[in-house]
Amino acid sequence: MSFTAQELAKTANELRGEINRFLSQPTNPDVLLGNHPAVALASQKQSIAIWHGQRIEDHLADWINRVPGWIARARERISIASSIHEIDNLAWNPQIGVVLAVEAKRVWANQDGSSKADVRRKNKLYMDPANTPTITSHVGLSGASFRHFVFDVYGRTKTGSRGLPVIAGDKISHVFDHTLATYVEWERQVMANAIFEKIDPNSHHLKREHSLADESLGTRADVYPSREGVLDYIDKHAN
């Protein structure tokens, strides 16, 4: 199942509405910019980043569920090593026998040290051979291959380190085919245009948003991921 035109139109309106709400909040004049509209962006950019990061966390499972062959659940609670742990996004593909724990970060490079350390702790826990069977069995795929990785949604991280794979948004098609990558780019452009329209309607930065007709989001046979392809690509980004 893909995104429908109606769903995309509703999402675009919601995104534009939130950006307009943030940038319409009263701000004090800036010592350098005075009352220029860009002052609103400068004062609200952190709020926008926090809101957008939370939105990604809330909706990533929904987006993955639109990718043919994949099933996902957000904030899945599992008993691992005698303690309850909440996996941000648990995704699995019965056709290729793969289960993935996906940690979404809006921009991985912008995360503080404690946040990165927490993700590394999770990676060590989940990837422990004594614990991975518990995770794969939880979704009914006992014996399936398992990986945990960071989805750097709008970042440009080239690779992870110390065994933690980090895969940037422009490369996620190697894991979930092009459906998710196309949607992520569409959402980024909608939000970017909404910001420019608010602070500088005549900006040359305004770009035409991608047309996401239903047929353009389906799976192409030539890019459908294989089990080996998904695992090898994730592993390649671990060091």
Side-chain angles (χ1 to χ4, degrees):
M1 183 170 108
S2 193
F3 299 90
T4 67
Q6 291 82 4
E7 289 171 329
L8 291 169
K10 180 180 178 181
T11 299
N13 287 335
E14 290 174 349
L15 292 171
R16 293 188 181 101
E18 284 298 299
I19 292 296
N20 184 72
R21 181 178 67 82
F22 277 112
L23 299 185
S24 295
Q25 295 173 3
T27 58
N28 295 321
D30 181 78
V31 65
L32 299 177
L33 302 180
N35 290 307
H36 188 280
V39 172
L41 177 60
S43 66
Q44 296 294 338
K45 63 180 182 179
Q46 182 60 22
S47 296
I48 292 174
I50 293 172
W51 159 76
H52 192 205
Q54 291 174 339
R55 186 179 188 280
I56 290 169
E57 292 177 356
D58 291 341
H59 291 276
L60 180 59
D62 294 336
W63 302 343
I64 294 174
N65 276 313
R66 305 306 181 98
V67 180
W70 288 92
I71 304 166
R73 294 177 189 159
R75 301 182 178 90
E76 195 73 357
R77 295 174 64 83
I78 304 177
S79 177
I80 304 174
S82 301
S83 298
I84 299 297
H85 296 269
E86 186 174 271
I87 297 179
D88 283 7
N89 281 276
L90 192 60
W92 62 98
N93 188 322
Q95 297 177 30
I96 62 176
V98 171
V99 179
L100 304 175
V102 187
E103 193 92 19
K105 298 297 180 184
R106 185 174 182 265
V107 179
W108 175 246
N110 291 348
Q111 303 301 306
D112 59 31
S114 62
S115 176
K116 290 184 176 181
D118 181 59
V119 174
R120 293 189 184 282
R121 282 192 294 269
K122 291 179 182 179
N123 180 258
K124 184 177 180 179
L125 176 72
Y126 300 160
M127 293 300 296
D128 186 330
N131 297 328
T132 54
T134 300
I135 300 174
T136 57
S137 297
H138 182 82
V139 298
L141 289 180
S142 179
S145 297
F146 173 80
R147 293 294 188 276
H148 169 249
F149 71 92
V150 173
F151 177 24
D152 187 10
V153 184
Y154 289 94
R156 291 292 182 267
T157 307
K158 292 183 179 180
T159 184
S161 62
R162 291 182 285 166
L164 175 66
V166 180
I167 300 177
D170 60 345
K171 300 176 182 177
I172 200 63
S173 58
H174 293 275
V175 178
F176 293 117
D177 89 22
H178 72 294
T179 302
L180 182 55
T182 302
Y183 176 80
V184 166
E185 173 58 21
W186 171 82
E187 182 175 281
R188 185 200 65 80
Q189 192 59 63
V190 170
M191 292 179 60
N193 280 347
I195 291 173
F196 286 124
E197 287 168 358
K198 183 64 178 179
I199 67 172
D200 187 2
N202 297 317
S203 173
H204 66 281
H205 293 288
L206 284 167
K207 297 179 181 179
R208 182 178 179 181
E209 294 161 11
H210 295 286
S211 175
L212 295 187
D214 291 355
E215 61 270 18
S216 73
L217 287 170
T219 299
R220 300 195 310 267
D222 62 321
V223 299
Y224 191 79
S226 67
R227 176 178 176 274
E228 293 76 16
V230 169
L231 300 177
D232 289 347
Y233 194 80
I234 294 174
D235 291 343
K236 184 173 71 174
H237 286 78
N239 298 297

